[in-house]
């Protein structure tokens, strides 16, 4: 049996596009007031391990209660890297979660930017060695209120026939976009955490998305958690994962985008969140088509804004390039007949 993190239904991919779009949005400053700018380094640590909870059975995905207040084996509590599990006689190391923070500079209030990365290794754990959650703390420096939030750890027994069904999960319920990070058995998956400094200098986490080249190691899902549904079961599949990568990262760096462009991107983002909640290929295709239409309109808006001097020509080109890449990634899936779709 494998002790892996409390699993959750991931409807991966589309959520990734969503975090990318979110990362391009900047909240405009109050008229007449100087917008604050921030610089520093993100640091983080984990504490308050949850030592009793449930893991999921192989096949049935039924919950099994486990009390590990005496038996849990782990280390790193209070640091940026925690480890738990018992690999006695196993070929894999125990499970590990590590946060690595980024440095940042000239960040405006409300601007979404990458805070750092979270790497989750799905190792071997017996039921008595599981932990079921921790609290994550992220700080951005003096004068900025830190972020604190729970991380649920959902482990599953391994059936050995389906790496998706055997994936273990980390679930972040109080991100702006609640998200789940799944790691396939024996794999270390890395995700980028996006956030902003908003309001009264409060650090907030908006979303997460797979780092480049991580699609074979795990997935990110924004669908509601359902024990009976395996993770990464999006109808959009690998095609939307590819779009996610095409649209990853802030589109225009520190440039503030016009409100009309932000609204258009926000509409596309919400459509993508809806797609992440459906297993219907027909509905997924319809909504992704609408998303691409919104994104193409965003390109036209960006070019008009550049002509008026509201954004730079380089920013407009970056928007067009990202949308063009997304279009090239999604067209094969949208146009292929059902018999050719994976």
């Amino acid at each position: 049996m494998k002790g892996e993190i409390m699993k959750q239904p991931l409807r991966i991919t589309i959520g990734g596009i969503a975090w990318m779009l979110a990362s391009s949005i900047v909240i405009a400053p109050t008229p007449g007031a100087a917008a604050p700018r921030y610089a520093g380094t993100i640091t983080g640590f984990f504490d308050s391990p949850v030592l009793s909870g449930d893991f999921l059975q192989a096949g049935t995905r039924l919950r099994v209660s486990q009390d590990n207040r005496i038996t849990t084996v782990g280390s790193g509590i209070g640091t940026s890297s925690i480890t738990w599990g018992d690999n006695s006689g196993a070929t894999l190391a125990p499970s590990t979660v590590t946060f690595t923070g980024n440095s940042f500079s000239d960040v405006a209030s409300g601007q979404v930017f990458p805070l750092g990365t979270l790497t989750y290794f799905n190792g071997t754990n017996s039921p008595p060695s599981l932990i079921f959650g921790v609290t994550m703390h992220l700080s951005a420096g003096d004068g900025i209120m830190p972020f604190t939030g729970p991380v649920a750890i959902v482990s599953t027994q391994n059936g050995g026939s389906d790496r998706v069904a055997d994936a273990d999960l980390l679930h972040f319920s109080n991100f702006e976009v609640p998200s789940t990070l799944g790691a396939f058995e024996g794999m270390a998956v890395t995700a980028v955490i996006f956030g902003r400094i908003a309001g009264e200098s409060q650090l907030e986490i908006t979303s997460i998305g797979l780092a480049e080249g991580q699609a074979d190691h795990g997935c990110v899902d924004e669908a509601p958690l359902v024990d009976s549904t395996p993770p990464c079961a999006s109808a959009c599949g690998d095609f939307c994962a590819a779009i996610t990568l095409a649209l990853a990262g802030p589109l225009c760096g520190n440039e503030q985008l016009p409100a009309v462009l932000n609204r258009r991107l926000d509409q596309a983002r919400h459509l993508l969140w809806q797609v992440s909640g459906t297993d219907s290929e027909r509905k997924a295709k319809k909504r992704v088509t609408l998303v691409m239409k919104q994104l193409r309109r965003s390109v036209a808006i960006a070019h008009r804004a550049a002509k008026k001097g509201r954004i730079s020509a380089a920013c407009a080109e970056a928007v067009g390039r990202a949308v063009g890449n997304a279009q090239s990634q999604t067209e094969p899936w949208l146009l292929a007949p059902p018999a050719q779709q994976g």
Side-chain angles (χ1 to χ4, degrees):
M1 138 142 217
K2 139 198 167 179
E4 291 154 48
I5 304 186
M6 307 174 9
K7 183 171 201 178
Q8 324 199 357
L10 308 175
R11 300 271 158 112
I12 167 179
T13 63
I14 309 250
I17 313 177
W19 62 251
M20 168 288 145
L21 294 173
S23 70
S24 69
I25 296 175
V26 178
I27 297 176
T30 303
R37 314 293 290 193
Y38 300 96
T41 299
I42 303 295
T43 59
F45 67 93
F46 303 95
D47 65 8
S48 304
V50 179
L51 302 181
S52 61
D54 302 322
F55 63 87
L56 303 181
Q57 285 184 333
T60 66
R61 301 185 65 78
L62 295 176
R63 286 182 171 264
V64 179
S65 297
Q66 183 77 27
D67 187 343
N68 290 343
R69 284 174 289 183
I70 297 176
T71 59
T72 294
V73 177
S75 63
I77 296 300
T79 74
S80 61
S81 184
I82 59 170
T83 298
W84 68 96
D86 180 3
N87 67 335
S88 300
T91 57
L92 294 178
S95 296
T96 304
V97 175
T98 301
F99 174 78
T100 303
N102 290 344
S103 296
F104 61 97
S105 62
D106 197 31
V107 169
S109 177
Q111 176 183 338
V112 177
F113 65 102
L115 306 182
T117 59
L118 195 70
T119 298
Y120 172 32
F121 174 68
N122 181 353
T124 299
N125 307 307
S126 61
S129 69
L130 298 175
I131 64 174
F132 304 92
V134 290
T135 298
M136 182 170 69
H137 304 263
L138 299 184
S139 299
D142 294 341
I144 300 173
M145 295 292 293
F147 169 89
T148 299
V151 181
I153 302 176
V154 184
S155 300
T156 59
Q157 291 180 311
N158 290 331
S161 61
D162 186 342
R163 70 172 186 170
V164 173
D166 287 348
D168 287 348
L169 313 174
L170 305 180
H171 179 63
F172 309 91
S173 59
N174 66 342
F175 286 10
E176 184 176 286
V177 180
S179 301
T180 300
L181 173 64
F184 301 143
E185 178 67 10
M187 293 287 185
V189 61
T190 298
V192 180
I193 298 181
F194 287 86
R196 63 186 169 210
I197 302 169
E200 298 297 321
S201 297
Q202 172 69 56
L203 180 64
E204 300 175 348
I205 294 180
T206 55
S207 58
I208 64 174
L210 285 184
E212 185 174 0
Q214 295 294 298
D216 286 337
H217 299 170
C219 54
V220 169
D221 192 13
E222 293 170 1
L225 296 178
V226 180
D227 291 344
S228 60
T229 304
C232 310
S234 171
C236 193
D238 292 340
F239 297 104
C240 286
I243 303 173
T244 297
L245 296 178
L247 297 177
L251 292 180
C252 294
N254 292 329
E255 285 194 48
Q256 181 174 310
L257 302 182
V260 65
L261 181 54
N262 275 334
R263 284 195 300 270
R264 186 69 66 182
L265 293 171
D266 200 32
Q267 289 169 0
R269 178 183 58 175
H270 280 86
L271 284 171
L272 288 168
W273 293 343
Q274 292 174 17
V275 180
S276 70
T278 181
D279 291 327
S280 166
E281 183 179 275
R282 181 182 62 81
K283 290 181 180 179
K285 280 189 161 190
K286 182 177 180 180
R287 289 173 180 170
V288 169
T289 298
L290 292 175
V291 167
M292 295 311 305
K293 185 178 294 186
Q294 294 283 11
L295 293 177
R296 287 192 294 271
R297 290 172 179 168
S298 298
V299 175
I301 293 171
H303 283 298
R304 288 197 296 269
K307 289 181 179 179
K308 295 178 180 180
R310 300 183 64 189
I311 60 174
S312 67
C315 176
E317 291 174 1
V319 173
R321 185 165 53 250
V323 173
N325 289 340
Q327 183 74 37
S328 67
Q329 297 287 355
T330 194
E331 277 183 348
W333 174 64
L334 292 174
L335 298 177
Q340 298 180 22
Q341 293 164 4

